[in-house]
Amino acid sequence: MTKKHSVLLKEEKCEGCTNCVKGCPTKAIRVHQGKAWIKEDLCIDCAECIRACEYHAKYTKTDQLDQIMESSEYPVLLIPPSFYSQFSAGIPAQKIKKSIINLGFEAVFDVADAAAALSRKTLDFLNNNSGNYISTSCPVIVRLIKLQYPDLIEMLIPLKSPVELIAERVERKLKEEKNIDPDIFFLTPCPAKLTTVKRAIGQNKSFLTGAIGVENIYQKIYESLADIELEEKEDQLISLATIWGSEGGEEGILRSWQELNTLSVSGIKKAKKLLNEIERNNIPEAIRYFEITSCVDGCIGGVLNVINPFQAQFNLEERIKKIRQITQEHNLVLKKEDDEFYNFALSQKITADNISKLDSNFKKAMQKLEQLQKEIDILPGLDCAACGAPDCKTFAEDVINERASRTDCIFMLRKQLSRLADDLSILANELPPVMASKKEEADDS
Amino acid sequence: MSLQKQQILNKEIESFDFQSGGEASSDLKNILRKLGVPSAIVRKTAIITYELEMNVVIHSLGGEITALISEDELEIRVDDSGPGIEDLDKAFTAGFSTASDEIREMGFGAGMGLVNVKRYADQIDVKSSKDDGTHVKVIINLAN
Ligand code: SF4
Ligand code: SF4
């Protein structure tokens, strides 16, 4: 069975501390019998639990390099903009790419090229459609909206993410030019992008074969850099759209072309706050486009990256400066002929994951709601998480759905014990019938 | 005739309590999701409830919000204890607001409150008087 998410638990490392339980934005984690279990349907791969776990019990299993090389005949790798933040700007992009080729990949492609094309398409879309839109490039945000803000699905801009765009193009190109059927891998900064390989967003199927985590190959690349010689003029520049790797990159490009009201927000907590405000119409309608990323600072904050986000931010900015210096261009070009080779439209509608329903029958749902309210009223409301659920309300829901028992709450257990103790003492004080009758006789006399 | 409605929410709202303003609307949203109410209606309700809630926070001396539901109707009641709306017709005019400058600076009181509520509600009934505060009753149809 393929999992619906990519963040997993190393059982032997989990101490059952509940640190992760409280921080999960979708309340997907419960600690049972000392281990943290993730509920498949609820996990959106934001990796907050990986960040929260002091015992490193949560992890992401991406593809392994040696496996890829063993099993694939023609592996190619797609490099995200954020990957360049992992190296100082002094290291030519071409060197980094060559070193990836040396690992055994047949070819590498920059996702930034598709990001540039997507930016142009986005501007075009916004100019030709009314309404307010949300970027679909961070899969965590899309899944969060599907799950918790289904009424905002229509705000998701119906365009493919840069990774899928370039993957589709590479597949077609290699087929047409060389009659090759490549295996396309993505060098991923996060578990969420790995999940999209299995569960594509707004598409029947992803164009990716797999994904390999940055942390998996970083060391190898880094060590080999020194030995790589570049021939003259070989240092092809990467796109200015590499700025997509950090928060504000996407909106910055749009605004460099046209006066446009946009807003960028990063970090899952802030993202949820923003979505709440959008949902209740408490955000100026003048804001046409929202760039929202789950990771703080954008993809450079992805949990599979190696370099700390502060240094990464610096590296990326330096690299952009350099590209600007060399090309003598401050902004990304607004027109490019080859954009027409991309197939931007999503082939399927993005649909809601309606799993918060108590029951599909209204009357039954109402009964359960009442039950739930009663259960909540009984509980102490301390949200201590000792029961393994993030808070009392969530625990109450687990109880009425028979996924937990009331005495998993230590306060309820204590109450029950004290009641039991009372019963015991009453029982103990009750005299055996023989003696009791004697006593009665004595009283009578 | 609609079926008997059951109460699903009752919450006090305090005057000038901007911190918790919006809580009732979030709570109601979550409850409706649990009941499987279609998302477009949940959205409408969230917008309406938030506006009404903030009206109480900004313009009144405090009040309460109650939500009742049956299979075909959702009823939201907001009752506050004054000072009442002087001119109801005006309150339903876009851009009209009695919010103080201070509150406007915070980004509230753009005068869309009741206008917005009316836009999304299927029925709205407002009673207001100086002595008795403001009482809003909104109906949202659930059955198509
Ligand atoms: S990855 Fe995010 S959504 Fe999934 S269990 Fe961890 S914290 Fe929750
Ligand atoms: S912000 Fe980027 S790195 Fe983080 S989860 Fe979203 S796509 Fe992945």
Side-chain angles (χ1 to χ4, degrees):
Chain A
M1 194 186 70
T2 52
K3 283 244 175 208
K4 288 182 179 166
H5 60 100
S6 306
V7 173
L8 306 170
L9 180 79
K10 277 186 196 135
E11 241 183 83
E12 70 283 4
K13 286 199 169 180
C14 177
E15 300 279 346
C17 70
T18 72
N19 274 345
C20 58
V21 174
K22 286 227 157 202
C24 172
T26 58
K27 299 183 178 165
I29 315 174
R30 302 288 184 278
V31 170
H32 274 163
Q33 285 158 346
K35 303 289 166 203
W37 304 108
I38 299 176
K39 294 178 160 194
E40 285 223 28
D41 290 337
L42 291 177
C43 176
I44 55 172
D45 286 311
C46 68
E48 286 302 303
C49 56
I50 298 184
R51 296 180 177 101
C53 183
E54 287 174 27
Y55 305 98
H56 308 291
K58 293 263 172 51
Y59 74 111
T60 309
K61 192 168 177 288
T62 63
D63 292 320
Q64 299 296 311
L65 187 63
D66 37 353
Q67 272 173 359
I68 294 176
M69 292 312 151
E70 234 168 71
S71 61
S72 172
E73 282 193 7
Y74 200 94
V76 303
L77 193 67
L78 309 179
I79 308 173
S82 58
F83 187 62
Y84 291 103
S85 73
Q86 305 293 295
F87 302 91
S88 91
I91 300 171
Q94 200 58 22
K95 237 184 184 187
I96 298 170
K97 290 184 191 173
K98 263 200 159 177
S99 130
I100 296 178
I101 301 269
N102 288 350
L103 293 177
F105 289 97
E106 301 286 340
V108 293
F109 299 90
D110 274 313
V111 175
D113 292 334
L118 180 60
S119 290
R120 291 186 277 266
K121 181 71 187 177
T122 301
L123 187 71
D124 185 56
F125 184 94
L126 291 174
N127 286 339
N128 288 302
N129 290 276
S130 60
N132 317 75
Y133 293 90
I134 298 172
S135 166
T136 53
S137 69
C138 175
V140 176
I141 299 302
V142 177
R143 303 256 312 278
L144 179 68
I145 290 175
K146 277 161 68 76
L147 196 67
Q148 294 193 337
Y149 304 89
D151 38 304
L152 301 185
I153 287 179
E154 56 194 41
M155 282 181 73
L156 288 167
I157 198 160
L159 304 172
K160 279 189 195 128
S161 71
V163 186
E164 288 295 333
L165 279 175
I166 195 122
E168 183 179 18
R169 187 171 176 184
V170 164
E171 187 185 276
R172 200 162 1 112
K173 190 176 143 114
L174 288 172
K175 186 95 200 151
E176 281 168 12
E177 289 174 10
K178 300 187 179 167
N179 199 23
I180 283 171
D181 218 357
D183 291 324
I184 305 171
F185 293 88
F186 177 57
L187 183 53
T188 185
C190 63
K193 289 279 187 191
L194 175 67
T195 301
T196 63
V197 177
K198 299 263 153 46
R199 295 173 86 195
I201 290 163
Q203 286 163 237
N204 194 9
K205 207 178 147 288
S206 167
F207 291 95
L208 297 173
T209 306
I212 181 165
V214 169
E215 58 179 19
N216 281 7
I217 58 171
Y218 183 76
Q219 188 73 13
K220 280 206 169 119
I221 295 173
Y222 194 80
E223 281 169 359
S224 71
L225 282 173
D227 303 329
I228 291 172
E229 302 269 335
L230 286 188
E231 284 151 37
E232 232 182 297
K233 283 205 196 140
E234 211 186 3
D235 188 20
Q236 293 168 13
L237 277 169
I238 48 169
S239 165
L240 270 175
T242 303
I243 195 79
W244 267 63
S246 68
E247 182 197 332
E250 195 183 343
E251 73 164 348
I253 291 173
L254 294 173
R255 288 203 205 172
S256 75
W257 291 326
Q258 187 179 313
E259 210 175 288
L260 193 69
N261 292 311
T262 58
L263 188 74
S264 73
V265 157
S266 74
I268 190 85
K269 283 203 189 84
K270 254 186 159 179
K272 282 185 72 170
K273 275 195 183 152
L274 172 64
L275 292 171
N276 281 335
E277 299 297 353
I278 293 178
E279 195 166 46
R280 49 165 85 128
N281 265 16
N282 203 24
I283 285 287
E285 265 177 59
I287 301 175
R288 295 291 317 281
Y289 192 66
F290 297 91
E291 172 194 327
I292 315 180
T293 47
S294 169
C295 297
V296 175
D297 300 332
C299 295
I300 57 171
V303 78
L304 299 180
N305 282 331
V306 175
I307 297 295
N308 73 63
F310 315 107
Q311 196 178 343
Q313 179 82 41
F314 175 78
N315 286 349
L316 203 68
E317 277 170 17
E318 287 295 298
R319 195 171 287 273
I320 296 292
K321 267 191 222 159
K322 220 168 179 177
I323 302 172
R324 284 194 175 130
Q325 255 171 28
I326 299 173
T327 56
Q328 300 274 324
E329 271 175 25
H330 193 74
N331 296 332
L332 199 65
V333 289
L334 183 50
K335 286 242 152 15
K336 217 168 165 227
E337 300 297 306
D338 71 344
D339 280 2
E340 59 195 68
F341 293 112
Y342 290 105
N343 179 9
F344 292 102
L346 290 174
S347 58
Q348 291 181 350
K349 272 213 147 122
I350 299 177
T351 53
D353 294 336
N354 273 325
I355 54 173
S356 42
K357 266 192 239 176
L358 288 170
D359 200 289
S360 40
N361 174 296
F362 180 79
K363 286 203 183 80
K364 280 193 189 143
M366 274 303 282
Q367 277 165 10
K368 275 198 167 177
L369 187 72
E370 237 173 281
Q371 234 182 312
L372 177 62
Q373 197 49 53
K374 277 189 197 140
E375 200 63 45
I376 292 171
D377 292 343
I378 299 175
L379 294 172
L382 290 171
D383 296 340
C384 69
C387 59
D391 49 61
C392 296
K393 280 188 182 163
T394 312
F395 175 65
E397 212 172 322
D398 285 352
V399 172
I400 65 151
N401 284 321
E402 290 169 9
R403 286 193 290 257
S405 91
R406 194 185 284 165
T407 46
D408 291 346
C409 167
I410 50 169
F411 298 94
M412 299 313 287
L413 184 69
R414 206 161 68 175
K415 260 193 200 157
Q416 188 150 333
L417 279 177
S418 92
R419 228 177 290 137
L420 207 64
D422 287 348
D423 287 352
L424 277 178
S425 80
I426 291 170
L427 270 181
N429 286 329
E430 260 178 27
L431 297 170
V434 197
M435 290 170 78
S437 59
K438 257 193 182 168
K439 194 171 169 245
E440 274 163 25
E441 274 164 30
D443 283 347
D444 280 348
S445 63
Chain B
M1 200 49 231
S2 69
L3 302 164
Q4 172 97 51
K5 287 182 196 143
Q6 268 174 282
Q7 181 174 316
I8 48 173
L9 180 98
N10 179 261
K11 216 175 165 102
E12 253 178 63
I13 309 168
E14 277 180 47
S15 181
F16 283 94
D17 183 0
F18 287 96
Q19 286 310 320
S20 18
E23 266 175 21
S25 113
S26 296
D27 286 357
L28 186 56
K29 182 181 88 183
N30 290 334
I31 291 170
L32 295 182
R33 289 250 159 82
K34 288 194 168 82
L35 292 175
V37 171
S39 53
I41 294 177
V42 176
R43 173 100 198 260
K44 264 198 218 173
T45 312
I47 296 170
I48 291 174
T49 323
Y50 183 68
E51 293 284 8
L52 292 176
E53 214 181 336
M54 291 319 280
N55 262 347
V56 177
V57 171
I58 297 168
H59 296 290
S60 84
L61 307 168
E64 66 169 0
I65 180 164
T66 314
L68 304 135
I69 199 169
S70 70
E71 204 162 348
D72 51 18
E73 234 177 64
L74 172 68
E75 178 178 326
I76 302 163
R77 287 190 193 178
V78 180
D79 304 284
D80 71 44
S81 47
I85 304 172
E86 243 172 59
D87 187 338
L88 271 180
D89 287 338
K90 264 196 188 165
F92 277 112
T93 313
F96 177 80
S97 172
T98 57
S100 65
D101 289 346
E102 207 181 348
I103 280 173
R104 281 163 186 262
E105 266 166 34
M106 292 170 73
F108 296 102
M112 291 307 289
L114 278 177
V115 183
N116 239 344
V117 176
K118 202 176 173 185
R119 167 145 52 120
Y120 293 103
D122 291 307
Q123 285 174 46
I124 176 165
D125 178 43
V126 187
K127 288 195 177 65
S128 190
S129 73
K130 249 201 163 114
D131 313 318
D132 194 31
T134 303
H135 305 275
V136 185
K137 185 172 130 182
V138 165
I139 300 282
I140 296 164
N141 296 338
L142 300 178
N144 352 326

